[in-house]
Amino acid sequence: MSISSSGDARSRLFIFLRAVFRRLPLSTHSRDVLRNRFLERFPRIRPELPRAHAAAVGTGVPLRAPGSSDQPAIGHVPQRSGAMPEARPARLVAFYLPQFHPIPENDRWWGTGFTEWRNTARALPQFEGHSQPRVPADLGYYDLRSAQVLRAQAALAQSYGIEGFCSYFYWFAGHVLLEAPLRNWLEHEDIALPLCLCWANENWTRTWSGRGQDVLIGQRHSAADDLAFIAYIAPYLRDPRYLRIDGRPMLLVYRPGLLPDAAATAERWRHWCRENGVGELHLAYVQSFERPTPESIGFDAAVEFPPNLTSLPTLAPAQTLLNPDYAGEILDWRVLARNAIDRDEPGYLLYPGVNPGWDNEPRRPSRGRSLLHASPRGYRDWLRRAIQRVQSRPASQRLVFVNAWNEWAEGAVLEPDARLGHAWLDATRQALHPAKSSSPSPVAIIHAFYPEVLREILEALLASTLQWRVIVTTSAEKLDAVNAVIASSAMGCEVRVYENRGRDILPFLHVADALLNEGVDVVLKLHTKRSVHRRDGAQWRQEVIDRLTSPARASIILDAYRKNPRLGLVAPEGHTPRLSFYWGANADSVARLASVIGIPPVDVEEDRFIAGSMFWTRLEALRPLLDAHLDTWRFEREVGQVDGTTAHAIERLTIVVAKAAGYATLTASTVAGDHEPDPDAHYSYAQPS
């Protein structure tokens, strides 16, 4: 039998068995247990993963090598102070990995000086849009043997609304690993951030999976081990800073299913703590591999642990490989968040869990599990919903867990990184506040590469009679000329300076991202278009600006946004040709960019684009594009290109992005009730290609 036919047979068998399994009348816990046991016993039953594709040959457009992942991307947020709610709606607790310091055991197993930083730093991007390696920012490649590092982490966490760390504790029948940072917490009372422990009670293996293969150090669960464990951690439980629920120290177990009798273990711990001055415990387990009711195993609660115990759709076929030998999983983080937000509450105490991303490529080179399209705003929305879930509970039980604070080798990180800075922490703080009300005033974003045209645009905005907030973007070399124009205008403007890269598109994305976080709803995108390669460039610009800003239309368009919450884009009529009309050198870059953004492939014959890239937009309609946090290296420096750049690809995708986000695109004439020209009439400002 050929390899291919063998794989097909295995895939058919797996699909059949899964269908039968899903029809069995089993509880969630029984289903989890049987699944885990079966897959551990028959690991080869899984079918081969869907594969991403190699770059097409002969397209004439070479695959661009990825730029550095240690440079700020769109959406990078610097450290900044911010107010906290007077009454916190929930306590946020982040899982904490104490792995980042060398120990003798890791020296033997992985090489002298090993820490998780070695895995993190060695990672390479496997497909286009894969941001690896992930580079730490403010805290650097720290060593957790230093108490000052934990002190800095605790201060940073508290400043952004994290009220506790839940640290993994590595106990193997009396052999304790990676305890140095926890001892630092215990010994330095000035580190005020509360802490709780999660016993990672599984084997350590070379595959980083905790499963039975190639064990480095194993567990030996027993009644005596239960008592030795609880006695050893008692100094933590007694510490007044330790995280408590109704005065009870909270202790988590990562995999209760590995205990011979979890209920008996729980009772031993409770009895020992009562007899030895600790008091009552609040026992919770992590829903990492199974989901029993807490009561059935003698525990008090459970903690969600996304992305574990989830089934997500593959995105692999849409990806373009950089490594032709890549054999990992590529899944959709957005579905993870959406499913969690829509999940019903069980009939027991379950603390919600939220995840800011996942990519364990550093631990499993070329075979990792990568969840694409995680974003700070998506994480913020998920976290805000998780906080809402606990509002009906007593205040002491309003806990939400985040996976994780510093799982750098698994891509689950809140700590600042080089690409997005403090964006994840900033989103955490935002989630503690109610969602911002949309600003009713419009914002005009003008890119002024040609300062001599700026006055014309400012005068058009003044004539529109709307009350504008105006933001002008330009390059450093044009700044003086731009400021001179603004000084002589009656229009007040904010000026922001960016590198001359990405035409008008990249500066717009920088500003739009920031405005979306501020709560701005509607913006008008304009630029000082001259199209110097055409004789009618000025006519093109003036026609577009008039159709978008004329006094007879501007207020009507703005009112349409207020009345229609699903209105996304308003385009100048007569300037929305089909993609097929002027496809040019954009086919390959548009296809790749659509995959990176996470939207469906374009329909070249049916989809349209806004020629000239000037339009009104509701910023939420551009969320897929803005939440992609594109790297600035994707945007070419300006050398007079007229087509085929990333900026041109985004121009082709704007309407498609809004459609993918669930928003409509209308022309200005349709909104105003004016005559609508034939959208497929001859387009005067470009030649078909």
Side-chain angles (χ1 to χ4, degrees):
M1 181 183 293
S2 70
I3 294 176
S4 176
S5 59
S6 174
D8 291 343
R10 188 171 66 204
S11 179
R12 288 194 294 272
L13 176 60
F14 181 82
I15 292 171
F16 171 75
L17 292 175
R18 184 175 61 184
V20 171
F21 180 70
R22 288 176 173 175
R23 285 170 171 77
L24 294 176
L26 300 171
S27 68
T28 299
H29 174 53
S30 298
R31 194 176 299 278
D32 293 337
V33 171
L34 287 176
R35 183 192 305 110
N36 289 333
R37 290 177 179 173
F38 181 80
L39 293 177
E40 287 186 2
R41 178 68 178 82
F42 303 103
R44 293 178 59 82
I45 193 65
R46 292 179 183 271
E48 293 184 6
L49 297 172
R51 295 295 305 275
H53 60 85
V57 177
T59 60
V61 181
L63 182 62
R64 295 185 61 199
S68 173
S69 60
D70 65 354
Q71 299 299 314
I74 295 169
H76 179 279
V77 177
Q79 184 171 9
R80 56 195 181 196
S81 60
M84 292 291 178
E86 289 187 13
R88 302 280 179 93
R91 281 188 287 174
L92 306 184
V93 180
F95 282 99
Y96 181 88
L97 183 70
Q99 172 71 276
F100 299 97
H101 64 287
I103 58 174
E105 293 84 355
N106 274 337
D107 286 351
R108 291 197 304 271
W109 297 328
W110 304 102
T112 302
F114 174 85
T115 75
E116 278 277 62
W117 291 130
R118 184 176 298 178
N119 287 334
T120 303
R122 74 179 179 182
L124 296 172
Q126 301 296 307
F127 48 88
E128 190 155 14
H130 190 203
S131 295
Q132 287 289 355
R134 194 160 178 179
V135 179
D138 300 40
L139 298 173
Y141 292 100
Y142 48 74
D143 185 333
L144 286 178
R145 291 174 295 186
S146 167
Q148 181 54 35
V149 172
L150 180 57
R151 188 175 289 111
Q153 290 175 314
L156 183 63
Q158 288 176 306
S159 70
Y160 281 95
I162 299 294
E163 294 192 60
F165 285 158
C166 181
S167 177
Y168 296 109
F169 195 86
Y170 299 102
W171 164 279
F172 300 88
H175 194 122
V176 181
L177 302 179
L178 300 170
E179 194 184 6
L182 301 179
R183 284 288 166 183
N184 282 334
W185 178 84
L186 201 59
E187 295 166 5
H188 293 81
E189 296 181 359
D190 63 303
I191 302 176
L193 185 74
L195 183 81
C196 68
L197 300 181
C198 175
W199 181 18
N201 65 315
E202 61 182 2
N203 297 334
W204 266 19
T205 69
R206 284 201 177 275
T207 60
W208 300 92
S209 67
R211 299 189 186 274
Q213 304 91 346
D214 203 357
V215 175
L216 299 173
I217 183 170
Q219 296 287 349
R220 297 196 300 275
H221 296 298
S222 67
D225 188 56
D226 289 344
L227 293 174
F229 169 76
I230 200 70
Y232 187 89
I233 68 168
Y236 294 99
L237 303 178
R238 293 189 182 104
D239 193 288
R241 295 167 294 166
Y242 193 88
L243 185 69
R244 285 172 162 75
I245 306 296
D246 292 322
R248 301 179 177 191
M250 184 175 193
L251 176 62
L252 280 69
V253 176
Y254 187 65
R255 295 190 64 179
L258 297 180
L259 299 172
D261 184 341
T265 294
E267 183 52 38
R268 290 186 197 102
W269 287 348
R270 293 185 193 279
H271 179 76
W272 190 95
C273 287
R274 294 187 196 110
E275 294 296 312
N276 289 274
V278 173
E280 295 294 334
L281 288 176
H282 185 76
L283 289 178
Y285 79 90
V286 178
Q287 293 189 333
S288 53
F289 287 84
E290 60 266 330
R291 286 169 288 191
T293 60
E295 183 182 7
S296 69
I297 59 172
F299 280 52
D300 301 303
V303 176
E304 289 180 339
F305 195 68
N308 285 32
L309 294 175
T310 55
S311 179
L312 302 174
T314 181
L315 298 176
Q319 311 309 312
T320 302
L321 289 176
L322 299 172
N323 173 15
D325 297 323
Y326 176 73
E329 291 183 90
I330 307 174
L331 307 173
D332 196 333
W333 179 91
R334 297 168 301 183
V335 177
L336 173 73
R338 189 160 56 245
N339 290 348
I341 289 172
D342 294 338
R343 185 172 298 136
D344 293 331
E345 292 296 320
Y348 54 81
L349 180 56
L350 175 65
Y351 296 114
V354 177
N355 166 252
W358 185 268
D359 184 4
N360 64 2
E361 175 63 29
R363 285 185 173 177
R364 297 174 57 82
S366 77
R367 302 186 66 85
R369 188 176 191 233
S370 302
L371 273 60
L372 300 188
H373 311 310
S375 67
R377 271 183 293 266
Y379 156 74
R380 176 204 65 194
D381 295 344
W382 182 1
L383 180 56
R384 186 174 279 148
R385 178 68 184 101
I387 291 170
Q388 292 171 356
R389 283 173 57 186
V390 302
Q391 292 310 296
S392 61
R393 301 178 183 178
S396 63
Q397 296 179 2
R398 294 175 191 163
L399 262 68
V400 176
F401 284 77
V402 179
N403 181 28
W405 172 262
N406 64 336
E407 284 277 11
W408 286 90
E410 292 184 335
V413 181
L414 291 182
E415 289 181 328
D417 66 22
R419 284 191 73 247
L420 294 180
H422 292 70
W424 300 99
L425 287 169
D426 200 64
T428 302
R429 187 160 56 199
Q430 289 180 35
L432 290 166
H433 295 272
K436 294 179 180 178
S437 300
S438 298
S439 170
S441 300
V443 178
I445 304 174
I446 309 168
H447 184 63
F449 183 75
Y450 298 105
E452 62 273 20
V453 179
L454 179 58
R455 185 185 309 279
E456 170 190 311
I457 296 177
L458 296 178
E459 289 174 353
L461 293 177
L462 284 168
S464 72
T465 71
L466 295 181
Q467 296 299 309
W468 294 96
R469 174 187 174 188
V470 179
I471 300 174
V472 178
T473 63
T474 192
S475 59
E477 58 269 25
K478 306 282 186 175
L479 179 59
D480 288 344
V482 165
N483 281 334
V485 173
I486 293 173
S488 65
S489 169
M491 178 72 75
C493 302
E494 304 166 37
V495 180
R496 303 186 185 180
V497 179
Y498 298 98
E499 180 186 6
N500 185 23
R501 177 192 287 265
R503 310 182 79 83
D504 56 294
I505 299 292
L506 179 55
F508 169 76
L509 295 178
H510 280 303
V511 175
D513 183 87
L515 293 179
L516 183 56
N517 287 338
E518 291 178 18
V520 170
D521 185 22
V522 177
V523 305
L524 172 63
K525 178 187 179 300
L526 302 172
H527 60 103
T528 57
K529 184 177 183 64
R530 286 186 59 192
S531 299
V532 294
H533 61 289
R534 297 185 59 87
R535 294 181 178 178
D536 55 1
Q539 177 182 329
W540 187 358
R541 177 187 69 249
Q542 292 162 359
E543 180 178 302
V544 166
I545 291 173
D546 180 66
R547 292 179 179 182
L548 294 173
T549 68
S550 70
R553 287 185 172 182
S555 59
I556 296 175
I557 293 172
L558 184 59
D559 192 51
Y561 275 106
R562 292 167 178 158
K563 292 178 178 178
N564 182 0
R566 304 314 299 175
L567 177 58
L569 295 166
V570 174
E573 70 271 20
H575 294 271
T576 57
R578 297 180 192 272
L579 290 176
S580 58
F581 170 77
Y582 194 74
W583 202 213
N586 298 294
D588 192 67
S589 57
V590 166
R592 290 176 182 162
L593 192 59
S595 175
V596 169
I597 294 171
I599 60 176
V602 300
D603 184 333
V604 178
E605 298 303 324
E606 294 297 326
D607 287 328
R608 298 179 180 273
F609 72 101
I610 303 174
S613 199
M614 289 190 264
F615 49 81
W616 289 76
T617 184
R618 172 167 275 125
L619 289 178
E620 279 289 334
L622 301 184
R623 272 280 295 266
L625 175 58
L626 296 173
D627 284 359
H629 297 289
L630 298 177
D631 293 289
T632 56
W633 59 258
R634 287 186 169 275
F635 294 82
E636 300 82 355
R637 287 187 172 86
E638 292 303 314
V639 290
Q641 308 97 316
V642 296
D643 196 28
T645 68
T646 298
H648 288 100
I650 290 175
E651 179 185 41
R652 300 305 189 277
L653 282 172
T654 306
I655 291 178
V656 181
V657 165
K659 182 170 68 173
Y663 289 87
T665 296
L666 299 176
T667 63
S669 58
T670 297
V671 173
D674 296 335
H675 170 70
E676 177 73 18
D678 181 358
D680 292 319
H682 172 69
Y683 190 58
S684 303
Y685 299 106
Q687 296 300 315
S689 67

